[in-house]
Amino acid sequence: MHTTTKPIDAGSPWNVPEPEIQLSSITDTIETEILICGAGNAGMMAAISAGRLGAKTLVIEKNKRVGFIKPYMGAVNSKAQRAVGEKAMIDKEEIIKELVNYGNKCRNENPSFSPDYKPSRYVGSNKVDEKLIRVWAEESGAAFDFLADELSEYGIKHVSEYDIGDGHHGGFKAYPTQTKLVVPFLKGGPMAIIHAGIYVEERFFVKKIKSLGVRCMFNTPLIKVIKEGNRAVGVIARKKNGGYIRINASKGVLICTGGYVADAGLVAEVNPEATAISVLHYIQEGTVGDGIRAGIWAGGTKDKYPSAMVFDRGIARPGEKADLPIRRGGSFDSFFFGSQPFMKVNMDGKRFCNESVPYDVILNPLQNQKNGVACMIWDANYWKQVESFHTIGCSRMVPSKSRPRTYEGMGRFMNSGMLLMMRMKGYIKKARTLEGLAKKLRLPEEEFRATVERYNRMAAQGVDEDFGKQAKDLLPLGRPPYFGVTYGGWLLTTMDGLRINEDMQVMDAQGNAIGGLYAAGDVAGGFFADNFYPELVVGVAVGKTMTFARHAVLHMTGAI
Ligand SMILES: Cc1cc2nc3c(=O)[nH]c(=O)nc-3n(C[C@H](O)[C@H](O)[C@H](O)COP(=O)(O)OP(=O)(O)OC[C@H]3O[C@@H](n4cnc5c(N)ncnc54)[C@H](O)[C@@H]3O)c2cc1C
């Protein structure tokens, strides 16, 4: 991926001096075999793997609790998928090519909305490291089988979300990669159901690592890596009550500190495209790039291409703009309904793209629209239309038909509640007439009315002459009341990071591994480029994060 042998550019925001820490301020030293920095998706998978191998393991985490464990875990041919059979099985070579190609395909190729569409072979942007994608395709099945076995004692089941409709969305091919860890209702309680789409309860992970003898220190951020020669031998971390601690790790240090999304200013500097279209932040707090900087100070290098996960689910009030400052929100501020392919218009009241393309790319045209935002419009028939859209992954609204049940799709009742709440907060607007809605959304009334009339005419004919939206999703707006919302990007995380090899070892600018130093998750790069998280390869971000974390541990212990 990188041909340069230059260290980080002098002008790069990553080029910051390594902090000097006086020996006298280091008050404690801890010995361990494996040190895991960061207790999110990657850190917890690594901790379970290391604990099971019987290695003396310590996890240090910056926050006072484990990071939230996201639920959509993309795997290839795990036991859960094999149990379903053909419908859930994935051709490894095909999905590797799909991911290698992804950026290019979304930008430049028109898949012509054919159900026969197949990804083209090796013509993609190839800004990613195919070797890493291969590791995910080869090892994710076994990695999630391992995790499922470990968590089965709590009644947790690993299930496949294979209900992907006809396997095409807006002409793009979808893959049944999504798997979930389902917590039994009686053990998780009602909140388990409500949170099922947001995170997997971390208390089961915590219980597990404790039972395996893994120690966890909270409020203890990684500051820098200690090296002897070209080998990382430990780290310096800050103690909860001030002062520093030295942690020696004889087998290896694994950095799992996530990306840098929580520093919006840094994102804007590294990746202005991502902030230019974003209005909402609902993120893992504390992810400000600490691990990336520590890896660079230790001699590592970083991806050149920025990459971020941005979904079309940030909502704004009429008249608001995208870009900094980005509003901080929680899970109930994320507008999951925003990924439904209803008609969308810019602030001039005009359509500007095919609304059926994947939700990670539909935002990119916003860069060229007024205020970096647009409006999504629906009417009283919306639920029937939602049923016909059959979106998948975290945009699924209609309960999934997958069995065993995955509890995917919030259903009509819960969705109506969310819409009502967003209306009460002043985001969603409702009106009996199109003119009334335009007024409330601050859209030019005449333009907006003309756009809806043209859209309805094309819907009646089943042909979108303007943007080629597939007929299945080209549904008329004709039954009042009408609804609309101003939307922009929800910036979730960054995905460009330290350059790693196929064993997750951090590499220097010449491509040499730094002994004893590993990175997994959003802190490490090479897997995604540009602002894409291929939504139709559901869960691939968590999937690669957890697969790579396990691989790193297996490698540093000599198990592979
Ligand atoms: C709301 C939300 C939902 C998502 N849902 C999905 C999904 O369902 N499927 C999917 O594929 N992707 C999803 N993603 C993306 C996914 O979470 C990431 O791509 C990735 O898997 C995160 O894992 P991680 O372990 O690298 O980082 P994180 O989970 O972000 O964990 C990093 C941890 O490191 C800690 N940390 C930071 N700095 C330090 C330091 N200096 N020292 C010690 N600890 C530190 C943080 O506090 C945090 O606990 C979601 C992202 C968000 C924000």
Side-chain angles (χ1 to χ4, degrees):
M1 183 178 50
H2 294 270
T3 49
T4 176
T5 53
K6 272 199 300 177
I8 294 296
D9 293 336
S12 160
W14 297 107
N15 188 19
V16 289
E18 183 171 4
E20 290 286 339
I21 293 172
Q22 301 298 324
L23 277 182
S24 58
S25 58
I26 300 176
T27 50
D28 296 286
T29 301
I30 294 180
E31 303 291 337
T32 190
E33 289 180 324
I34 295 178
L35 174 66
I36 297 162
C37 308
N41 278 72
M44 293 314 268
M45 176 65 145
I48 295 176
S49 304
R52 176 52 66 204
L53 287 168
K56 187 172 179 191
T57 305
L58 172 64
V59 181
I60 55 168
E61 162 60 45
K62 181 184 203 173
N63 289 329
K64 63 177 186 231
R65 54 182 292 180
V66 167
F68 60 104
I69 310 287
K70 287 61 149 213
Y72 303 95
M73 301 172 164
V76 176
N77 305 342
S78 64
K79 235 187 241 170
Q81 289 158 306
R82 292 202 305 276
V84 169
E86 202 49 38
K87 280 186 290 221
M89 296 299 283
I90 294 156
D91 178 327
K92 284 183 193 169
E93 285 303 320
E94 182 183 330
I95 203 159
I96 290 165
K97 288 177 180 67
E98 174 75 9
L99 286 168
V100 171
N101 259 340
Y102 194 73
N104 185 63
K105 188 179 69 178
C106 290
R107 283 189 164 177
N108 304 327
E109 266 182 37
N110 179 349
S112 70
F113 315 108
S114 158
D116 301 325
Y117 171 69
K118 292 268 190 321
S120 44
R121 300 174 81 82
Y122 288 111
V123 296
S125 54
N126 225 339
K127 287 177 173 176
V128 292
D129 186 341
E130 181 172 338
K131 297 193 296 305
L132 294 177
I133 292 173
R134 287 190 172 273
V135 174
W136 170 72
E138 292 293 344
E139 297 181 16
S140 55
F144 285 99
D145 291 348
F146 162 78
L147 186 64
D149 283 350
E150 290 294 335
L151 298 176
S152 62
E153 65 175 295
Y154 309 118
I156 292 176
K157 285 201 168 61
H158 187 228
V159 292
S160 156
E161 172 55 45
Y162 59 86
D163 172 18
I164 55 167
D166 71 355
H168 291 84
H169 295 267
F172 290 81
K173 182 158 181 180
Y175 294 85
T177 42
Q178 184 185 346
T179 65
K180 278 188 86 173
L181 292 169
V182 173
V183 178
F185 181 69
L186 286 178
K187 295 209 176 187
M191 286 313 277
I193 299 285
I194 291 176
H195 284 142
I198 303 166
Y199 63 80
V200 185
E201 286 183 87
E202 82 266 2
R203 66 194 164 99
F204 294 105
F205 284 77
V206 174
K207 257 190 192 180
K208 186 75 209 184
I209 64 169
K210 276 191 182 153
S211 77
L212 293 170
V214 174
R215 186 175 166 202
C216 209
M217 289 170 71
F218 294 98
N219 298 304
T220 310
L222 157 74
I223 303 295
K224 59 192 256 183
V225 174
I226 306 166
K227 277 177 77 184
E228 281 173 11
N230 194 34
R231 190 175 170 81
V233 294
V235 309
I236 294 178
R238 201 170 42 239
K239 290 202 317 186
K240 187 174 173 181
N241 302 320
Y244 294 96
I245 187 168
R246 177 182 171 128
I247 304 165
N248 295 323
S250 58
K251 290 199 187 327
V253 172
L254 173 58
I255 307 182
C256 301
T257 50
Y260 56 96
V261 71
D263 183 343
L266 181 57
V267 182
E269 214 176 330
V270 176
N271 189 350
E273 284 187 2
T275 49
I277 53 169
S278 293
V279 296
L280 177 75
H281 245 171
Y282 167 43
I283 54 170
Q284 172 61 58
E285 293 297 341
T287 48
V288 293
D290 292 347
I292 298 177
R293 277 184 293 272
I296 291 169
W297 293 328
T301 191
K302 162 176 194 299
D303 283 331
K304 279 243 179 294
Y305 305 110
S307 177
M309 186 183 276
V310 193
F311 291 174
D312 51 358
R313 304 190 195 146
I315 48 175
R317 295 195 171 83
E320 285 181 351
K321 298 179 179 177
D323 213 345
L324 298 178
I326 296 173
R327 193 178 83 251
R328 271 292 218 273
S331 51
F332 291 112
D333 294 288
S334 312
F335 186 52
F336 284 81
F337 193 66
S339 296
Q340 297 301 305
F342 291 114
M343 190 186 85
K344 291 175 174 160
V345 294
N346 62 18
M347 297 316 289
D348 293 323
K350 293 181 177 165
R351 285 179 74 212
F352 54 95
C353 71
N354 172 2
E355 297 92 346
S356 278
V357 298
Y359 62 66
D360 50 314
V361 297
I362 192 161
L363 281 159
N364 289 329
L366 290 183
Q367 287 176 56
N368 303 319
Q369 309 304 318
K370 225 177 242 172
N371 297 353
V373 294
C375 291
M376 181 170 99
I377 313 294
W378 63 100
D379 71 4
N381 274 332
Y382 77 90
W383 189 256
K384 256 194 144 83
Q385 302 193 347
V386 164
E387 285 176 333
S388 122
F389 293 150
H390 195 142
T391 57
I392 63 169
C394 53
S395 69
R396 183 189 288 279
M397 291 281 131
V398 179
S400 165
K401 292 194 170 62
S402 293
R403 295 291 179 272
R405 291 186 68 169
T406 53
Y407 301 96
E408 276 305 294
M410 60 176 76
R412 185 173 193 166
F413 177 69
M414 195 164 159
N415 181 57
S416 309
M418 287 196 93
L419 295 184
L420 182 63
M421 192 179 71
M422 302 289 189
R423 198 143 71 77
M424 286 162 63
K425 285 184 173 180
Y427 292 110
I428 292 178
K429 298 294 172 190
K430 176 182 173 185
R432 300 290 318 165
T433 63
L434 290 171
E435 289 78 5
L437 187 67
K439 216 175 251 151
K440 290 184 175 176
L441 292 171
R442 301 199 197 174
L443 296 171
E445 290 167 41
E446 278 308 303
E447 283 292 359
F448 178 62
R449 161 175 271 294
T451 300
V452 174
E453 282 171 2
R454 179 168 173 76
Y455 188 77
N456 284 347
R457 264 200 314 276
M458 294 191 299
Q461 290 159 7
V463 180
D464 177 2
E465 291 164 9
D466 298 337
F467 297 103
K469 183 175 186 173
Q470 60 182 357
K472 177 182 98 52
D473 294 344
L474 187 63
L475 302 173
L477 288 158
R479 191 169 150 219
Y482 299 100
F483 301 87
V485 70
T486 308
Y487 78 94
W490 162 22
L491 181 51
L492 291 91
T493 191
T494 56
M495 301 181 302
D496 52 310
L498 294 170
R499 190 178 167 202
I500 52 172
N501 65 16
E502 316 84 285
D503 288 318
M504 317 312 146
Q505 292 174 292
V506 175
M507 291 198 287
D508 67 17
Q510 283 74 40
N512 302 312
I514 299 169
L517 190 61
Y518 296 77
D522 290 347
V523 71
F527 202 93
F528 300 109
D530 297 326
N531 297 329
F532 304 117
Y533 150 77
E535 64 127 320
L536 298 174
V537 184
V538 183
V540 63
V542 163
K544 71 99 179 165
T545 286
M546 295 178 98
T547 303
F548 289 7
R550 175 162 167 73
H551 184 113
V553 167
L554 296 177
H555 189 262
M556 69 175 78
T557 52
I560 50 173

